[in-house]
């Protein structure tokens, strides 16, 4: 079966380590195409999105091998510019390969990666940035074909600070001729990680993590070794598990500096969060309390990827809460499943209105995407009786082993 079974209603005790960040790993893997040599990526999460990216890199000529959580990529002989449809459409981050392939090979052809249930996920800003750098991008109904003998550095301004478009522009600019000044850039920690990786390979980049990034094109990059930072969303998911279920848990390898808004929100819910270095202790004694209004936002705001987990916490917290999702147009989807478990949630005028104090009861629920699926697991932990979360493959896109991790924290949970 493609499901996860949870026997809920237990407080949590125990400790677990946090995997490497999916959203740092994917653009970094794409950027290894720019290096005519070996890239060694350590603390790499073994998740299905990474396996998809590995297949895409192999399809253009990279040779890749795993050694435990270390990925060794040799991009010396990249030669094929056409990307295979089945993997491109499986994962939106395949679009990240455009900037790297244009920078290294001068050509790329791929299908539109497509959207998902949380939103249309357009790529107009990616194509705008690469065209600004001099790429000739032809679009047909299904496909994109882009060419550039050499990309040329220039000023690029993003109308919205898209994470992916920021990353694609950086990847196109790193080997371009001249200077690229990218303004209104996204400031997420994953951008900083990508720039750190590229700088370790000889790229000249300033301003990573700010809204203005300056890239001076260099003739060539060289082999490098890089450790992926902890996944701030996986860490946030387990932090919220502790806040929702009560008890006392410890999380290790936490990227604390990337999690201020998430930690602040857990404390607003009256979770007791104690930090020592990269170790986080979460203890929740009494009831948790709802939050009158909280909006998701670009970094360093409250992450949209944590919004579904927050909805579960507010459903069981005392009092009313209102959540406003500002990044994706369709990201309240788990509300319907939570209501089937006994929550009281209404979506109106782009906001989720949550009456707290729900006593969730176990049932079968359907995951439709990654973070909503993980949030349904949290709901199962809080619910009495048994919850079966169907379509666990969505969760496995971003969580290496959510059952092992939560079992280490004291949950009664297993794959079915
Ligand atoms: C990244 O997606 C993350 N994915 C998402 O995580 C995350 O939710 C998102 O950033 C926001 O933080 C990865 O890093 C692999 P955006 P991305 O471009 O880059 C609009 C997860 O669960 N937009 O910042 O696709 C877009 O529609 C995933 O791990 C355009 O209009 O996000 C959205 O409304 C989910 N045109 C907004 O910008 C474009 O060309 C932000 O999207 C690009 C984006």
């Amino acid at each position: 079966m493609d499901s996860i079974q949870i026997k809920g209603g237990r407080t949590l005790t125990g400790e677990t380590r946090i995997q490497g960040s999916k959203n740092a790993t994917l653009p970094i893997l794409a950027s290894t195409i720019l290096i005519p040599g070996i890239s060694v990526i350590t603390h790499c999460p073994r998740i299905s999105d990474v396996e998809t990216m590995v297949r895409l890199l192999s399809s253009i000529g990279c040779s890749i091998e795993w050694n435990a959580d270390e990925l060794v990529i040799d991009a010396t002989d990249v030669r094929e510019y056409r990307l295979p449809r089945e993997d491109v459409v499986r994962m939106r981050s395949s679009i990240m390969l455009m900037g790297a392939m244009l920078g290294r090979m001068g050509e790329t052809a791929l299908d539109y990666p497509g959207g998902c249930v949380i939103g249309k996920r357009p790529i107009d800003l990616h194509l705008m940035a690469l065209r600004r750098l001099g790429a000739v991008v032809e679009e047909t109904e299904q496909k994109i074909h882009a060419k550039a003998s050499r990309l040329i550095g220039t000023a690029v301004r993003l109308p919205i600070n898209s994470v992916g478009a920021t990353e694609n522009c950086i990847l196109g600019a790193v080997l371009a001729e001249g200077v690229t000044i990218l303004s209104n850039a996204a400031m997420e920690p994953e951008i900083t990680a990508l720039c750190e990786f590229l700088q370790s390979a000889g790229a000249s980049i300033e301003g990573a993590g700010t809204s203005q990034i300056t890239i001076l094109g260099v003739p060539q990059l060289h082999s490098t070794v890089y450790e992926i930072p902890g996944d701030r969303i996986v860490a946030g998911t387990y932090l919220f598990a502790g806040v929702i279920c009560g008890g006392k848990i410890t999380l290790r390898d936490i990227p604390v500096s990337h999690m201020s808004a998430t930690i602040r929100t857990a404390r607003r819910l009256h979770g007791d969060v104690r930090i020592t270095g990269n170790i986080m202790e979460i203890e929740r004694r009494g009831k948790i309390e709802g939050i009158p209004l909280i909006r998701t936002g670009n970094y360093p705001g409250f992450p949209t990827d944590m919004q579904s987990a927050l909805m579960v916490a507010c459903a069981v917290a005392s009092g009313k809460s209102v959540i406003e999702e500002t990044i994706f147009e369709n990201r309240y989807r788990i509300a319907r499943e939570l209501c089937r478990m006994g929550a009281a949630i209404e979506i109106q005028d782009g906001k989720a209105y949550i009456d707290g104090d729900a006593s969730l009861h176990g049932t079968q629920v359907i995951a439709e995407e990654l973070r909503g699926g993980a949030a349904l697991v949290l709901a199962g932990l809080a619910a009495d009786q048994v919850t079966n979360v169907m379509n666990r493959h969505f969760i496995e896109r971003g969580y290496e082993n959510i059952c092992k991790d939560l079992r280490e924290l004291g949950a009664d949970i297993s794959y079915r």
Side-chain angles (χ1 to χ4, degrees):
M1 289 271 283
D2 177 22
S3 67
I4 290 176
Q5 183 173 92
I6 305 113
K7 291 184 183 127
R10 302 158 62 117
T11 55
L12 298 181
T13 52
E15 66 175 63
T16 192
R17 288 189 178 281
I18 300 301
Q19 69 182 59
S21 163
K22 166 178 90 80
N23 292 347
T25 300
L26 294 173
I28 285 172
L29 293 187
S31 74
T32 60
I33 294 169
L34 293 164
I35 298 171
I38 307 269
S39 301
V40 179
I41 315 292
T42 64
H43 197 215
C44 197
R46 297 203 71 152
I47 52 179
S48 58
D49 271 8
V50 167
E51 299 294 357
T52 301
M53 185 60 86
V54 164
R55 285 195 300 274
L56 286 164
L57 293 174
S58 305
S59 75
I60 65 170
C62 294
S63 58
I64 303 175
E65 63 177 45
W66 282 101
N67 300 320
D69 74 348
E70 185 178 279
L71 203 50
V72 181
I73 299 155
D74 184 346
T76 308
D77 298 324
V78 290
R79 56 188 174 284
E80 174 57 64
Y81 73 87
R82 289 159 303 190
L83 288 162
R85 170 178 166 69
E86 63 278 6
D87 278 323
V88 164
V89 299
R90 190 191 309 269
M91 180 185 66
R92 274 187 37 73
S93 310
S94 49
I95 193 70
M96 218 58 69
L97 292 163
M98 280 193 79
M101 290 174 75
L102 283 169
R104 172 78 188 280
M105 304 159 71
E107 188 169 14
T108 180
L110 67 162
D111 290 76
Y112 280 94
C116 67
V117 291
I118 67 174
K120 284 199 316 298
R121 316 292 297 272
I123 57 168
D124 56 315
L125 303 182
H126 295 248
L127 303 185
M128 178 275 287
L130 295 172
R131 284 180 166 124
R132 286 282 301 156
L133 292 170
V136 176
V137 183
E138 288 162 13
E139 300 176 70
T140 59
E141 198 59 34
Q142 289 295 326
K143 282 198 181 291
I144 308 163
H145 184 204
K147 291 182 84 165
S149 47
R150 177 106 195 259
L151 294 172
I152 310 292
T154 184
V156 180
R157 175 169 185 75
L158 294 176
I160 44 176
N161 27 34
S162 153
V163 172
T166 298
E167 292 164 341
N168 232 337
C169 184
I170 292 168
L171 295 180
V174 160
L175 298 177
E177 192 174 316
V179 178
T180 297
I181 297 177
L182 174 58
S183 46
N184 200 30
M187 300 189 281
E188 271 67 6
E190 293 76 31
I191 308 284
T192 306
L194 173 63
C195 292
E196 282 174 351
F197 169 78
L198 289 166
Q199 285 161 329
S200 75
S204 172
I205 304 173
E206 283 174 17
T210 74
S211 61
Q212 177 156 314
I213 300 177
T214 303
I215 303 113
L216 170 61
V218 294
Q220 195 172 47
L221 297 180
H222 55 71
S223 297
T224 188
V225 180
Y226 184 76
E227 180 177 340
I228 299 288
D231 191 308
R232 62 190 173 106
I233 306 300
V234 171
T237 306
Y238 299 162
L239 160 55
F240 272 45
V243 168
I244 289 166
C245 298
K248 185 175 178 182
I249 61 172
T250 301
L251 305 178
R252 298 182 180 281
D253 299 343
I254 297 284
V256 174
S257 62
H258 302 166
M259 294 181 67
S260 308
T262 300
I263 293 167
R264 193 167 49 248
T265 304
R267 286 174 172 154
R268 284 181 72 186
L269 287 161
H270 286 246
D272 181 7
V273 185
R274 291 186 294 278
I275 310 277
T276 315
N278 68 353
I279 298 170
M280 181 187 280
E281 271 188 348
I282 302 102
E283 191 164 5
R284 199 262 288 163
R285 300 184 204 90
K287 283 281 280 176
I288 53 174
E289 287 183 29
I291 298 177
L293 174 63
I294 180 163
R295 287 193 183 86
T296 63
N298 295 310
Y299 192 84
F302 184 76
T304 174
D305 292 349
M306 284 299 306
Q307 187 256 100
S308 296
L310 175 63
M311 186 180 280
V312 177
C314 293
V316 300
S318 59
K320 293 180 184 298
S321 302
V322 178
I323 297 176
E324 185 175 5
E325 168 62 47
T326 67
I327 305 292
F328 290 108
E329 66 271 26
N330 197 22
R331 204 167 199 176
Y332 295 126
R333 298 184 67 88
I334 67 158
R336 187 191 54 209
E337 295 300 275
L338 294 178
C339 289
R340 289 181 54 241
M341 296 177 75
I345 304 168
E346 263 192 54
I347 308 301
Q348 215 169 5
D349 308 326
K351 293 189 184 77
Y353 293 86
I354 303 155
D355 282 348
D357 297 303
S359 302
L360 300 181
H361 50 80
T363 184
Q364 177 167 298
V365 289
I366 312 284
E368 292 183 292
E369 39 86 24
L370 166 56
R371 304 303 175 185
L376 289 174
V377 170
L378 298 188
L381 294 175
D384 59 11
Q385 297 146 22
V386 173
T387 299
N388 284 298
V389 180
M390 312 308 286
N391 293 337
R392 78 167 192 240
H393 62 274
F394 284 118
I395 301 170
E396 289 168 336
R397 292 189 57 173
Y399 293 75
E400 249 181 354
N401 194 335
I402 195 166
C403 287
K404 174 187 74 64
D405 296 344
L406 288 173
R407 261 201 304 275
E408 288 173 351
L409 297 177
D412 183 341
I413 181 172
S414 54
Y415 294 116
R416 280 281 184 272

